[in-house]
Amino acid sequence: MNNIGNVVPPVARGVLVSVAGILGIVKTTIANQDDFQELVEQCQMIGLVVWHATYTRAQHQFNGTIHRALTKLKNSVDGILEAVKAKTEKNVVSKAFHATIDRNTINKWKNELIRFLTLFNWSQYSICSSFFRDAIGEPDILPTQPRVFVGRSDLVQSATDALLKFHHVALIGPGGIGKSSIARAVLNDEVIVSTFKARRYFVQFDNINVNQVNLKTFLDHIARALGFATPVNAYNLIAKTLSVVETLLVLDNAETFLDATMDAGQIADAIDGLGARSNVTILLTTRTTVLPPNMKWVRLRVPPLEESAACEAFQAYYPSIETSILIKLLSAVDFHPLSINLLAQAAVQNEWSPQDLITAWDHQRATLLEAGNGKSQSLAVTIETSLNSPSFLKLGETVHHLLQIIAFLPQGIRKTHLAAIFPGVSNIESCADALCRQSLAYLNGDFITLLAPVRLYI
C-alpha cells in the first residue's frame, strides 16, 4: 500500500498511507485477526479505487468536488486509524502484546468505511462517472430491451418487485421459453435502472460448453463483464468490486455452471458468497431447478405465452394471416416462444403465403424448427443442450427411453404408473424427476408430459 502511495498525488497518498497504517496494526498487534477480515478487504478496496482513480492525474487536475471527496475519505480513514491505535495502545500499557477488539466495534468501523467509500464514488455524479469507471475498467455493454416482447409484463413486475426488495430471483423454464428476454426487460426496467444505475451487470454463459466449465471459467466470465482482464485472484476482486454499493448481477443461462462437470460445489459456494453480501442482488436464468442451497431464492416459473400474446408475437414479423388459422398453428407448438419465432422467420424469409406456411408445417415440421445453428435459432440445439447436461447423462439410457415413451403419448405418463410401465428399473422415478429438474418435462396434474416442440423433436 505504501508503494502505491508513492505513485499517486499527495491528496490521494494520505488516504493510502492511513489505510496501510490500519493494515499494519491488524497484522502485527491484533489477536483476533479473523474478525478483521472484512475490514481488511474494505481497506484493500479503498486502496484499489483510490489508486486507479488518481494515479494517472497530477494534483492540479483535481477539481474541488473530487478534492473534497478525497479529503472526506481521508478523514474517515484517519479516524478509524486513530481508534485502532487507541484500542491497541491500552494493551501496550497493560503489558499485553496483542489486542482483542470486539466484533461490534470492528463492524462499526467497516460500515463507516463502506459509507464513506460509497459517498466517494457516488455522492457526485461526476465522481461516479469517472472514478468508479476508472477503478474497475470498462464493463460489458448491457443488452437492450427485446424488440418484440409481449405477454410477460406480470413476470417482469414480479421479478422487479423482488429485486427492489433485494431478494435473489431465479427465472426457471425450458430452453426457448424466453427467460433471457425477461431478464433483459428487467435489466432495462425504469425503476431498476433508477435504483442500480451503472451497477447493473449481465453475464452470459451460453457460449461455454458445460463440460469445460470450472470455477476459474465461471469467475473469469464475471470478471470480464465487470471490466477486468482475467485476474489472478478473481473471486476476491469480484467480491470487493461488488461490495461498494447496491449492485444487480444477472447470470444468464446459469444451468451451464450449476450443472457443471467440474467444480459445481465450489461454483455454488462462490455464488453463495457473492449473494451473502447485503448490497449484491442476483438474477439467474436457468433450466435447472437445482439452485445454490444457502441462499433464499424467489423462484419464478416461466410458462409458454398466452394465446393472444403468442399471436401478437408472431404477427410482429408476419402480420398477414388470419387469427383463427394462426391460433391453430401456434397451439400445435404449445405457444412456445422460440418455436413461434422460428415459424414466423421461416414464413418471412421464404416469402410464403399463409397457405404455404400451413403446407410446410404439415410436411416438414421438424425442419422448420431447426433453422439455424445457435440456441436462439434452432429448437434442436436448445433441446440437445439439456439432453447433454451432466446430471442427465449420468442416468444412462433409461432416461432417454423414458423421454421417448412420454413423447409418444400426447398426454404423457401418469406418474403413479411409472413402476408398472418400467418393471425392474429401480431408478425410474429418479429419471422422471431429472427430466422435470432440467425442464425437459413437467407435471400436468398427475401426468408427466412434454411441451409439443420437445415432443416433436424427440
Side-chain angles (χ1 to χ4, degrees), residues 366-402:
T367 303
L368 289 182
L369 299 179
E370 298 176 17
N373 296 319
K375 285 191 287 187
S376 63
Q377 298 178 344
S378 172
L379 183 68
V381 174
T382 195
I383 293 175
E384 285 294 335
T385 299
S386 295
L387 294 177
N388 289 317
S389 67
S391 63
F392 192 84
L393 291 176
K394 71 181 182 182
L395 293 170
E397 288 301 315
T398 300
V399 71
H400 287 274
H401 189 37
L402 173 60

PDB file of all heavy atoms in Angstrom, residues 366-402:
ATOM      1  N   ALA A 366     -40.359 -30.645 -38.232  1.00  0.00           N
ATOM      2  CA  ALA A 366     -39.065 -30.621 -37.542  1.00  0.00           C
ATOM      3  C   ALA A 366     -38.079 -29.700 -38.242  1.00  0.00           C
ATOM      4  O   ALA A 366     -37.329 -28.956 -37.591  1.00  0.00           O
ATOM      5  CB  ALA A 366     -38.495 -32.037 -37.455  1.00  0.00           C
ATOM      6  N   THR A 367     -38.079 -29.708 -39.581  1.00  0.00           N
ATOM      7  CA  THR A 367     -37.150 -28.872 -40.346  1.00  0.00           C
ATOM      8  C   THR A 367     -37.404 -27.396 -40.089  1.00  0.00           C
ATOM      9  O   THR A 367     -36.458 -26.600 -39.968  1.00  0.00           O
ATOM     10  CB  THR A 367     -37.288 -29.170 -41.855  1.00  0.00           C
ATOM     11  OG1 THR A 367     -37.050 -30.551 -42.074  1.00  0.00           O
ATOM     12  CG2 THR A 367     -36.292 -28.347 -42.656  1.00  0.00           C
ATOM     13  N   LEU A 368     -38.660 -26.989 -40.001  1.00  0.00           N
ATOM     14  CA  LEU A 368     -38.991 -25.592 -39.768  1.00  0.00           C
ATOM     15  C   LEU A 368     -38.467 -25.091 -38.432  1.00  0.00           C
ATOM     16  O   LEU A 368     -38.178 -23.897 -38.270  1.00  0.00           O
ATOM     17  CB  LEU A 368     -40.507 -25.388 -39.823  1.00  0.00           C
ATOM     18  CG  LEU A 368     -41.185 -25.506 -41.188  1.00  0.00           C
ATOM     19  CD1 LEU A 368     -42.670 -25.239 -41.055  1.00  0.00           C
ATOM     20  CD2 LEU A 368     -40.567 -24.532 -42.181  1.00  0.00           C
ATOM     21  N   LEU A 369     -38.349 -25.984 -37.467  1.00  0.00           N
ATOM     22  CA  LEU A 369     -37.903 -25.582 -36.135  1.00  0.00           C
ATOM     23  C   LEU A 369     -36.409 -25.773 -35.925  1.00  0.00           C
ATOM     24  O   LEU A 369     -35.920 -25.659 -34.805  1.00  0.00           O
ATOM     25  CB  LEU A 369     -38.686 -26.374 -35.076  1.00  0.00           C
ATOM     26  CG  LEU A 369     -40.208 -26.167 -35.090  1.00  0.00           C
ATOM     27  CD1 LEU A 369     -40.868 -27.027 -34.026  1.00  0.00           C
ATOM     28  CD2 LEU A 369     -40.572 -24.701 -34.904  1.00  0.00           C
ATOM     29  N   GLU A 370     -35.687 -26.053 -36.981  1.00  0.00           N
ATOM     30  CA  GLU A 370     -34.232 -26.231 -36.899  1.00  0.00           C
ATOM     31  C   GLU A 370     -33.553 -25.324 -37.910  1.00  0.00           C
ATOM     32  O   GLU A 370     -32.705 -25.734 -38.690  1.00  0.00           O
ATOM     33  CB  GLU A 370     -33.858 -27.692 -37.154  1.00  0.00           C
ATOM     34  CG  GLU A 370     -34.441 -28.650 -36.127  1.00  0.00           C
ATOM     35  CD  GLU A 370     -34.138 -30.108 -36.441  1.00  0.00           C
ATOM     36  OE1 GLU A 370     -33.234 -30.366 -37.253  1.00  0.00           O
ATOM     37  OE2 GLU A 370     -34.832 -30.982 -35.903  1.00  0.00           O
ATOM     38  N   ALA A 371     -33.911 -24.045 -37.878  1.00  0.00           N
ATOM     39  CA  ALA A 371     -33.482 -23.125 -38.934  1.00  0.00           C
ATOM     40  C   ALA A 371     -32.003 -22.775 -38.885  1.00  0.00           C
ATOM     41  O   ALA A 371     -31.371 -22.574 -39.913  1.00  0.00           O
ATOM     42  CB  ALA A 371     -34.320 -21.842 -38.854  1.00  0.00           C
ATOM     43  N   GLY A 372     -31.422 -22.675 -37.705  1.00  0.00           N
ATOM     44  CA  GLY A 372     -30.045 -22.193 -37.606  1.00  0.00           C
ATOM     45  C   GLY A 372     -29.174 -23.082 -36.752  1.00  0.00           C
ATOM     46  O   GLY A 372     -29.497 -24.231 -36.478  1.00  0.00           O
ATOM     47  N   ASN A 373     -28.045 -22.497 -36.298  1.00  0.00           N
ATOM     48  CA  ASN A 373     -27.063 -23.281 -35.554  1.00  0.00           C
ATOM     49  C   ASN A 373     -27.066 -23.005 -34.049  1.00  0.00           C
ATOM     50  O   ASN A 373     -26.706 -23.865 -33.265  1.00  0.00           O
ATOM     51  CB  ASN A 373     -25.664 -23.004 -36.106  1.00  0.00           C
ATOM     52  CG  ASN A 373     -25.520 -23.463 -37.544  1.00  0.00           C
ATOM     53  OD1 ASN A 373     -26.006 -24.528 -37.915  1.00  0.00           O
ATOM     54  ND2 ASN A 373     -24.883 -22.646 -38.378  1.00  0.00           N
ATOM     55  N   GLY A 374     -27.455 -21.807 -33.638  1.00  0.00           N
ATOM     56  CA  GLY A 374     -27.399 -21.460 -32.227  1.00  0.00           C
ATOM     57  C   GLY A 374     -28.680 -21.807 -31.495  1.00  0.00           C
ATOM     58  O   GLY A 374     -29.690 -22.166 -32.100  1.00  0.00           O
ATOM     59  N   LYS A 375     -28.635 -21.662 -30.154  1.00  0.00           N
ATOM     60  CA  LYS A 375     -29.807 -21.986 -29.346  1.00  0.00           C
ATOM     61  C   LYS A 375     -30.982 -21.065 -29.643  1.00  0.00           C
ATOM     62  O   LYS A 375     -32.135 -21.446 -29.475  1.00  0.00           O
ATOM     63  CB  LYS A 375     -29.447 -21.905 -27.856  1.00  0.00           C
ATOM     64  CG  LYS A 375     -28.621 -23.067 -27.369  1.00  0.00           C
ATOM     65  CD  LYS A 375     -28.529 -23.087 -25.857  1.00  0.00           C
ATOM     66  CE  LYS A 375     -27.628 -22.008 -25.329  1.00  0.00           C
ATOM     67  NZ  LYS A 375     -27.401 -22.128 -23.876  1.00  0.00           N
ATOM     68  N   SER A 376     -30.694 -19.849 -30.088  1.00  0.00           N
ATOM     69  CA  SER A 376     -31.775 -18.913 -30.392  1.00  0.00           C
ATOM     70  C   SER A 376     -32.301 -19.082 -31.809  1.00  0.00           C
ATOM     71  O   SER A 376     -33.241 -18.406 -32.207  1.00  0.00           O
ATOM     72  CB  SER A 376     -31.294 -17.470 -30.206  1.00  0.00           C
ATOM     73  OG  SER A 376     -30.243 -17.184 -31.115  1.00  0.00           O
ATOM     74  N   GLN A 377     -31.719 -20.009 -32.581  1.00  0.00           N
ATOM     75  CA  GLN A 377     -32.118 -20.193 -33.976  1.00  0.00           C
ATOM     76  C   GLN A 377     -32.508 -21.629 -34.300  1.00  0.00           C
ATOM     77  O   GLN A 377     -32.899 -21.919 -35.423  1.00  0.00           O
ATOM     78  CB  GLN A 377     -30.966 -19.772 -34.909  1.00  0.00           C
ATOM     79  CG  GLN A 377     -30.580 -18.313 -34.785  1.00  0.00           C
ATOM     80  CD  GLN A 377     -29.408 -17.961 -35.674  1.00  0.00           C
ATOM     81  OE1 GLN A 377     -28.691 -18.829 -36.154  1.00  0.00           O
ATOM     82  NE2 GLN A 377     -29.224 -16.681 -35.893  1.00  0.00           N
ATOM     83  N   SER A 378     -32.435 -22.518 -33.343  1.00  0.00           N
ATOM     84  CA  SER A 378     -32.724 -23.920 -33.619  1.00  0.00           C
ATOM     85  C   SER A 378     -33.284 -24.606 -32.386  1.00  0.00           C
ATOM     86  O   SER A 378     -32.670 -24.578 -31.309  1.00  0.00           O
ATOM     87  CB  SER A 378     -31.454 -24.650 -34.076  1.00  0.00           C
ATOM     88  OG  SER A 378     -31.678 -26.042 -34.161  1.00  0.00           O
ATOM     89  N   LEU A 379     -34.449 -25.201 -32.533  1.00  0.00           N
ATOM     90  CA  LEU A 379     -35.033 -25.971 -31.445  1.00  0.00           C
ATOM     91  C   LEU A 379     -34.155 -27.167 -31.104  1.00  0.00           C
ATOM     92  O   LEU A 379     -33.987 -27.527 -29.935  1.00  0.00           O
ATOM     93  CB  LEU A 379     -36.432 -26.432 -31.834  1.00  0.00           C
ATOM     94  CG  LEU A 379     -37.198 -27.203 -30.760  1.00  0.00           C
ATOM     95  CD1 LEU A 379     -37.555 -26.286 -29.601  1.00  0.00           C
ATOM     96  CD2 LEU A 379     -38.460 -27.844 -31.333  1.00  0.00           C
ATOM     97  N   ALA A 380     -33.561 -27.791 -32.125  1.00  0.00           N
ATOM     98  CA  ALA A 380     -32.717 -28.963 -31.897  1.00  0.00           C
ATOM     99  C   ALA A 380     -31.539 -28.624 -30.993  1.00  0.00           C
ATOM    100  O   ALA A 380     -31.218 -29.369 -30.051  1.00  0.00           O
ATOM    101  CB  ALA A 380     -32.218 -29.518 -33.232  1.00  0.00           C
ATOM    102  N   VAL A 381     -30.899 -27.479 -31.244  1.00  0.00           N
ATOM    103  CA  VAL A 381     -29.727 -27.098 -30.454  1.00  0.00           C
ATOM    104  C   VAL A 381     -30.115 -26.855 -29.001  1.00  0.00           C
ATOM    105  O   VAL A 381     -29.437 -27.309 -28.074  1.00  0.00           O
ATOM    106  CB  VAL A 381     -29.050 -25.844 -31.051  1.00  0.00           C
ATOM    107  CG1 VAL A 381     -27.921 -25.359 -30.142  1.00  0.00           C
ATOM    108  CG2 VAL A 381     -28.501 -26.150 -32.438  1.00  0.00           C
ATOM    109  N   THR A 382     -31.231 -26.156 -28.792  1.00  0.00           N
ATOM    110  CA  THR A 382     -31.613 -25.841 -27.414  1.00  0.00           C
ATOM    111  C   THR A 382     -32.033 -27.092 -26.637  1.00  0.00           C
ATOM    112  O   THR A 382     -31.746 -27.224 -25.449  1.00  0.00           O
ATOM    113  CB  THR A 382     -32.717 -24.768 -27.390  1.00  0.00           C
ATOM    114  OG1 THR A 382     -32.810 -24.237 -26.066  1.00  0.00           O
ATOM    115  CG2 THR A 382     -34.077 -25.316 -27.803  1.00  0.00           C
ATOM    116  N   ILE A 383     -32.676 -28.059 -27.302  1.00  0.00           N
ATOM    117  CA  ILE A 383     -33.067 -29.293 -26.613  1.00  0.00           C
ATOM    118  C   ILE A 383     -31.850 -30.176 -26.358  1.00  0.00           C
ATOM    119  O   ILE A 383     -31.701 -30.765 -25.280  1.00  0.00           O
ATOM    120  CB  ILE A 383     -34.134 -30.049 -27.422  1.00  0.00           C
ATOM    121  CG1 ILE A 383     -35.435 -29.246 -27.436  1.00  0.00           C
ATOM    122  CG2 ILE A 383     -34.396 -31.437 -26.822  1.00  0.00           C
ATOM    123  CD1 ILE A 383     -36.518 -29.848 -28.314  1.00  0.00           C
ATOM    124  N   GLU A 384     -30.955 -30.265 -27.342  1.00  0.00           N
ATOM    125  CA  GLU A 384     -29.745 -31.077 -27.157  1.00  0.00           C
ATOM    126  C   GLU A 384     -28.883 -30.535 -26.023  1.00  0.00           C
ATOM    127  O   GLU A 384     -28.185 -31.288 -25.347  1.00  0.00           O
ATOM    128  CB  GLU A 384     -28.942 -31.130 -28.456  1.00  0.00           C
ATOM    129  CG  GLU A 384     -29.534 -32.047 -29.520  1.00  0.00           C
ATOM    130  CD  GLU A 384     -29.516 -33.515 -29.118  1.00  0.00           C
ATOM    131  OE1 GLU A 384     -28.660 -33.898 -28.291  1.00  0.00           O
ATOM    132  OE2 GLU A 384     -30.360 -34.280 -29.621  1.00  0.00           O
ATOM    133  N   THR A 385     -28.930 -29.228 -25.810  1.00  0.00           N
ATOM    134  CA  THR A 385     -28.182 -28.647 -24.688  1.00  0.00           C
ATOM    135  C   THR A 385     -28.643 -29.256 -23.370  1.00  0.00           C
ATOM    136  O   THR A 385     -27.825 -29.594 -22.498  1.00  0.00           O
ATOM    137  CB  THR A 385     -28.375 -27.117 -24.660  1.00  0.00           C
ATOM    138  OG1 THR A 385     -27.874 -26.551 -25.871  1.00  0.00           O
ATOM    139  CG2 THR A 385     -27.648 -26.503 -23.474  1.00  0.00           C
ATOM    140  N   SER A 386     -29.954 -29.422 -23.222  1.00  0.00           N
ATOM    141  CA  SER A 386     -30.485 -30.044 -21.999  1.00  0.00           C
ATOM    142  C   SER A 386     -30.173 -31.540 -21.951  1.00  0.00           C
ATOM    143  O   SER A 386     -29.819 -32.082 -20.899  1.00  0.00           O
ATOM    144  CB  SER A 386     -31.995 -29.835 -21.914  1.00  0.00           C
ATOM    145  OG  SER A 386     -32.309 -28.466 -21.770  1.00  0.00           O
ATOM    146  N   LEU A 387     -30.293 -32.211 -23.105  1.00  0.00           N
ATOM    147  CA  LEU A 387     -30.039 -33.660 -23.138  1.00  0.00           C
ATOM    148  C   LEU A 387     -28.588 -33.993 -22.828  1.00  0.00           C
ATOM    149  O   LEU A 387     -28.289 -35.104 -22.372  1.00  0.00           O
ATOM    150  CB  LEU A 387     -30.419 -34.217 -24.514  1.00  0.00           C
ATOM    151  CG  LEU A 387     -31.910 -34.173 -24.884  1.00  0.00           C
ATOM    152  CD1 LEU A 387     -32.110 -34.691 -26.311  1.00  0.00           C
ATOM    153  CD2 LEU A 387     -32.737 -34.988 -23.904  1.00  0.00           C
ATOM    154  N   ASN A 388     -27.692 -33.045 -23.074  1.00  0.00           N
ATOM    155  CA  ASN A 388     -26.270 -33.299 -22.850  1.00  0.00           C
ATOM    156  C   ASN A 388     -25.767 -32.763 -21.511  1.00  0.00           C
ATOM    157  O   ASN A 388     -24.560 -32.735 -21.276  1.00  0.00           O
ATOM    158  CB  ASN A 388     -25.445 -32.682 -23.983  1.00  0.00           C
ATOM    159  CG  ASN A 388     -25.613 -33.447 -25.285  1.00  0.00           C
ATOM    160  OD1 ASN A 388     -25.617 -34.674 -25.294  1.00  0.00           O
ATOM    161  ND2 ASN A 388     -25.774 -32.737 -26.388  1.00  0.00           N
ATOM    162  N   SER A 389     -26.681 -32.352 -20.652  1.00  0.00           N
ATOM    163  CA  SER A 389     -26.249 -31.876 -19.340  1.00  0.00           C
ATOM    164  C   SER A 389     -25.696 -33.047 -18.527  1.00  0.00           C
ATOM    165  O   SER A 389     -26.177 -34.181 -18.630  1.00  0.00           O
ATOM    166  CB  SER A 389     -27.420 -31.234 -18.601  1.00  0.00           C
ATOM    167  OG  SER A 389     -28.390 -32.208 -18.269  1.00  0.00           O
ATOM    168  N   PRO A 390     -24.655 -32.808 -17.719  1.00  0.00           N
ATOM    169  CA  PRO A 390     -24.024 -33.898 -16.953  1.00  0.00           C
ATOM    170  C   PRO A 390     -25.003 -34.675 -16.069  1.00  0.00           C
ATOM    171  O   PRO A 390     -24.929 -35.906 -15.991  1.00  0.00           O
ATOM    172  CB  PRO A 390     -22.974 -33.162 -16.115  1.00  0.00           C
ATOM    173  CG  PRO A 390     -22.618 -31.975 -16.940  1.00  0.00           C
ATOM    174  CD  PRO A 390     -23.900 -31.549 -17.594  1.00  0.00           C
ATOM    175  N   SER A 391     -25.915 -33.976 -15.389  1.00  0.00           N
ATOM    176  CA  SER A 391     -26.834 -34.681 -14.492  1.00  0.00           C
ATOM    177  C   SER A 391     -27.804 -35.563 -15.266  1.00  0.00           C
ATOM    178  O   SER A 391     -28.309 -36.556 -14.742  1.00  0.00           O
ATOM    179  CB  SER A 391     -27.621 -33.678 -13.643  1.00  0.00           C
ATOM    180  OG  SER A 391     -28.431 -32.851 -14.460  1.00  0.00           O
ATOM    181  N   PHE A 392     -28.062 -35.220 -16.532  1.00  0.00           N
ATOM    182  CA  PHE A 392     -28.934 -36.022 -17.381  1.00  0.00           C
ATOM    183  C   PHE A 392     -28.176 -37.234 -17.919  1.00  0.00           C
ATOM    184  O   PHE A 392     -28.670 -38.365 -17.898  1.00  0.00           O
ATOM    185  CB  PHE A 392     -29.448 -35.158 -18.534  1.00  0.00           C
ATOM    186  CG  PHE A 392     -30.565 -35.781 -19.324  1.00  0.00           C
ATOM    187  CD1 PHE A 392     -31.885 -35.677 -18.901  1.00  0.00           C
ATOM    188  CD2 PHE A 392     -30.310 -36.468 -20.498  1.00  0.00           C
ATOM    189  CE1 PHE A 392     -32.914 -36.241 -19.631  1.00  0.00           C
ATOM    190  CE2 PHE A 392     -31.327 -37.042 -21.232  1.00  0.00           C
ATOM    191  CZ  PHE A 392     -32.642 -36.922 -20.794  1.00  0.00           C
ATOM    192  N   LEU A 393     -26.954 -37.013 -18.371  1.00  0.00           N
ATOM    193  CA  LEU A 393     -26.172 -38.094 -18.986  1.00  0.00           C
ATOM    194  C   LEU A 393     -25.838 -39.199 -17.992  1.00  0.00           C
ATOM    195  O   LEU A 393     -25.764 -40.380 -18.362  1.00  0.00           O
ATOM    196  CB  LEU A 393     -24.879 -37.522 -19.583  1.00  0.00           C
ATOM    197  CG  LEU A 393     -25.039 -36.628 -20.815  1.00  0.00           C
ATOM    198  CD1 LEU A 393     -23.681 -36.051 -21.223  1.00  0.00           C
ATOM    199  CD2 LEU A 393     -25.645 -37.414 -21.988  1.00  0.00           C
ATOM    200  N   LYS A 394     -25.641 -38.835 -16.723  1.00  0.00           N
ATOM    201  CA  LYS A 394     -25.207 -39.854 -15.758  1.00  0.00           C
ATOM    202  C   LYS A 394     -26.308 -40.872 -15.452  1.00  0.00           C
ATOM    203  O   LYS A 394     -26.035 -41.922 -14.871  1.00  0.00           O
ATOM    204  CB  LYS A 394     -24.706 -39.196 -14.473  1.00  0.00           C
ATOM    205  CG  LYS A 394     -25.784 -38.568 -13.618  1.00  0.00           C
ATOM    206  CD  LYS A 394     -25.161 -37.921 -12.380  1.00  0.00           C
ATOM    207  CE  LYS A 394     -26.235 -37.313 -11.477  1.00  0.00           C
ATOM    208  NZ  LYS A 394     -25.622 -36.649 -10.299  1.00  0.00           N
ATOM    209  N   LEU A 395     -27.536 -40.586 -15.870  1.00  0.00           N
ATOM    210  CA  LEU A 395     -28.632 -41.526 -15.649  1.00  0.00           C
ATOM    211  C   LEU A 395     -28.698 -42.605 -16.721  1.00  0.00           C
ATOM    212  O   LEU A 395     -29.479 -43.553 -16.611  1.00  0.00           O
ATOM    213  CB  LEU A 395     -29.966 -40.769 -15.581  1.00  0.00           C
ATOM    214  CG  LEU A 395     -30.126 -39.844 -14.364  1.00  0.00           C
ATOM    215  CD1 LEU A 395     -31.355 -38.971 -14.519  1.00  0.00           C
ATOM    216  CD2 LEU A 395     -30.201 -40.655 -13.078  1.00  0.00           C
ATOM    217  N   GLY A 396     -27.898 -42.452 -17.785  1.00  0.00           N
ATOM    218  CA  GLY A 396     -27.796 -43.511 -18.795  1.00  0.00           C
ATOM    219  C   GLY A 396     -28.963 -43.555 -19.758  1.00  0.00           C
ATOM    220  O   GLY A 396     -29.734 -42.605 -19.910  1.00  0.00           O
ATOM    221  N   GLU A 397     -29.127 -44.694 -20.409  1.00  0.00           N
ATOM    222  CA  GLU A 397     -30.127 -44.846 -21.471  1.00  0.00           C
ATOM    223  C   GLU A 397     -31.559 -44.890 -20.945  1.00  0.00           C
ATOM    224  O   GLU A 397     -32.497 -44.603 -21.685  1.00  0.00           O
ATOM    225  CB  GLU A 397     -29.840 -46.136 -22.256  1.00  0.00           C
ATOM    226  CG  GLU A 397     -28.601 -46.050 -23.146  1.00  0.00           C
ATOM    227  CD  GLU A 397     -28.719 -44.922 -24.158  1.00  0.00           C
ATOM    228  OE1 GLU A 397     -29.800 -44.793 -24.778  1.00  0.00           O
ATOM    229  OE2 GLU A 397     -27.748 -44.183 -24.327  1.00  0.00           O
ATOM    230  N   THR A 398     -31.740 -45.246 -19.685  1.00  0.00           N
ATOM    231  CA  THR A 398     -33.100 -45.348 -19.150  1.00  0.00           C
ATOM    232  C   THR A 398     -33.863 -44.044 -19.294  1.00  0.00           C
ATOM    233  O   THR A 398     -35.035 -44.015 -19.680  1.00  0.00           O
ATOM    234  CB  THR A 398     -33.066 -45.760 -17.667  1.00  0.00           C
ATOM    235  OG1 THR A 398     -32.413 -47.020 -17.545  1.00  0.00           O
ATOM    236  CG2 THR A 398     -34.473 -45.878 -17.100  1.00  0.00           C
ATOM    237  N   VAL A 399     -33.192 -42.934 -18.995  1.00  0.00           N
ATOM    238  CA  VAL A 399     -33.877 -41.649 -19.044  1.00  0.00           C
ATOM    239  C   VAL A 399     -34.250 -41.280 -20.473  1.00  0.00           C
ATOM    240  O   VAL A 399     -35.305 -40.680 -20.729  1.00  0.00           O
ATOM    241  CB  VAL A 399     -33.025 -40.550 -18.360  1.00  0.00           C
ATOM    242  CG1 VAL A 399     -31.801 -40.208 -19.191  1.00  0.00           C
ATOM    243  CG2 VAL A 399     -33.858 -39.314 -18.089  1.00  0.00           C
ATOM    244  N   HIS A 400     -33.413 -41.667 -21.449  1.00  0.00           N
ATOM    245  CA  HIS A 400     -33.735 -41.419 -22.864  1.00  0.00           C
ATOM    246  C   HIS A 400     -34.938 -42.260 -23.283  1.00  0.00           C
ATOM    247  O   HIS A 400     -35.822 -41.777 -24.015  1.00  0.00           O
ATOM    248  CB  HIS A 400     -32.528 -41.734 -23.744  1.00  0.00           C
ATOM    249  CG  HIS A 400     -31.427 -40.718 -23.649  1.00  0.00           C
ATOM    250  ND1 HIS A 400     -31.406 -39.573 -24.413  1.00  0.00           N
ATOM    251  CD2 HIS A 400     -30.316 -40.678 -22.870  1.00  0.00           C
ATOM    252  CE1 HIS A 400     -30.327 -38.873 -24.113  1.00  0.00           C
ATOM    253  NE2 HIS A 400     -29.651 -39.526 -23.182  1.00  0.00           N
ATOM    254  N   HIS A 401     -34.971 -43.496 -22.830  1.00  0.00           N
ATOM    255  CA  HIS A 401     -36.093 -44.383 -23.150  1.00  0.00           C
ATOM    256  C   HIS A 401     -37.394 -43.837 -22.562  1.00  0.00           C
ATOM    257  O   HIS A 401     -38.446 -43.816 -23.220  1.00  0.00           O
ATOM    258  CB  HIS A 401     -35.798 -45.782 -22.598  1.00  0.00           C
ATOM    259  CG  HIS A 401     -36.776 -46.825 -23.042  1.00  0.00           C
ATOM    260  ND1 HIS A 401     -37.329 -46.854 -24.306  1.00  0.00           N
ATOM    261  CD2 HIS A 401     -37.321 -47.892 -22.366  1.00  0.00           C
ATOM    262  CE1 HIS A 401     -38.157 -47.871 -24.411  1.00  0.00           C
ATOM    263  NE2 HIS A 401     -38.182 -48.517 -23.241  1.00  0.00           N
ATOM    264  N   LEU A 402     -37.323 -43.345 -21.318  1.00  0.00           N
ATOM    265  CA  LEU A 402     -38.488 -42.743 -20.682  1.00  0.00           C
ATOM    266  C   LEU A 402     -38.959 -41.523 -21.473  1.00  0.00           C
ATOM    267  O   LEU A 402     -40.163 -41.342 -21.704  1.00  0.00           O
ATOM    268  CB  LEU A 402     -38.141 -42.349 -19.249  1.00  0.00           C
ATOM    269  CG  LEU A 402     -39.202 -41.539 -18.481  1.00  0.00           C
ATOM    270  CD1 LEU A 402     -40.505 -42.318 -18.371  1.00  0.00           C
ATOM    271  CD2 LEU A 402     -38.674 -41.160 -17.100  1.00  0.00           C
TER     272      LEU A 402
END
